[in-house]
Amino acid sequence: MAVFSSGSPKHEAPEPLEGPVVATVVGGTILWFVLFLVQLPFYGWFDDHGHTWWVWTCLAGAGLGLIGIWYVRKRDAAIKRAAAQEAGETPAAE
């Protein structure tokens, strides 16, 4: 256990991977909303079996996904602005 509490890592952490973050979050949000819509006609069955939380979890996932879309779009724009400033360019109007 002393290895974990020494405070000094044995090697540096790798750089985070960047990918199509906006597209990934949009796709996940759409998936959550589609799952909500697919389960909605069966709400009575879910209610009878005590599984209504499945329906509401999908709606919550879609709602939180909307917040995530807003967040990652702002983050992506900030990263692009910072890269443009480093390159000495003026950022494009959004």
Side-chain angles (χ1 to χ4, degrees):
M1 287 293 174
V3 174
F4 295 110
S5 63
S6 66
S8 61
K10 292 184 179 187
H11 54 82
E12 300 244 350
E15 290 292 321
L17 297 175
E18 288 294 331
V21 180
V22 176
T24 303
V25 173
V26 168
T29 302
I30 291 171
L31 181 63
W32 278 114
F33 190 68
V34 167
L35 288 171
F36 169 73
L37 292 177
V38 167
Q39 291 179 358
L40 203 53
F42 304 102
Y43 186 82
W45 183 89
F46 286 110
D47 192 30
D48 292 343
H49 292 86
H51 295 301
T52 56
W53 65 271
W54 288 11
V55 177
W56 301 121
T57 298
C58 292
L59 185 61
L64 290 172
L66 291 175
I67 296 169
I69 291 170
W70 172 81
Y71 178 81
V72 296
R73 287 186 70 216
K74 294 288 185 182
R75 178 183 177 270
D76 193 42
I79 290 171
K80 287 178 182 176
R81 272 194 312 273
Q85 286 178 351
E86 280 184 15
E89 302 172 2
T90 58
E94 293 178 34

